Amino acid sequence: MVIDKDALQKRLNRIEGQVRGIGRMIQEDRYCIDILQQIQAIKAALARVEDAVLKDHAATCVTSAIASGNEKEQRRKFEELVDLVAKTKR
């Protein structure tokens, strides 16, 4: 795996802390816009994690399928990506 697992884990730990923070904000009846801004920050951070994992998948799994010359495996990896993109549109 090409991905920096330690950096990704640190990022996920920060996101986890942000989510707990939103729970506290709600319990404390904080201003809705402040809560929504924190939710947006979490969504952006998760999108960066998603991008990193997707890039890693392309750099390792997809590249390996292409290099293998195995048409069935290449098609499977392509279909996985198409299915993933289709799910994000829902």
Side-chain angles (χ1 to χ4, degrees), residues 50-63:
E50 180 181 31
D51 290 347
V53 174
L54 180 58
K55 285 177 185 177
D56 183 69
H57 178 66
T60 57
C61 301
V62 174
T63 300

Side-chain angles (χ1 to χ4, degrees), residues 8 12 15-16 18 21 25 30 34-36 38 40 42 55 57-58 62-63 66 76 78 83-84 90:
L8 201 58
L12 289 168
I15 292 168
E16 182 180 6
Q18 287 176 295
M25 291 174 78
R30 298 275 299 272
D34 292 340
I35 294 169
L36 291 168
Q38 287 302 309
Q40 290 299 315
I42 290 168
K55 285 177 185 177
H57 178 66
V62 174
T63 300
I66 292 168
R76 190 171 73 79
F78 177 75
D83 290 344
L84 180 66
R90 296 181 191 154

Side-chain angles (χ1 to χ4, degrees), residues 16 32-33 45 49 76:
E16 182 180 6
C32 295
I33 294 299
V49 170
R76 190 171 73 79

Side-chain angles (χ1 to χ4, degrees), residues 82-90:
V82 170
D83 290 344
L84 180 66
V85 170
K87 286 178 185 177
T88 62
K89 292 183 178 183
R90 296 181 191 154

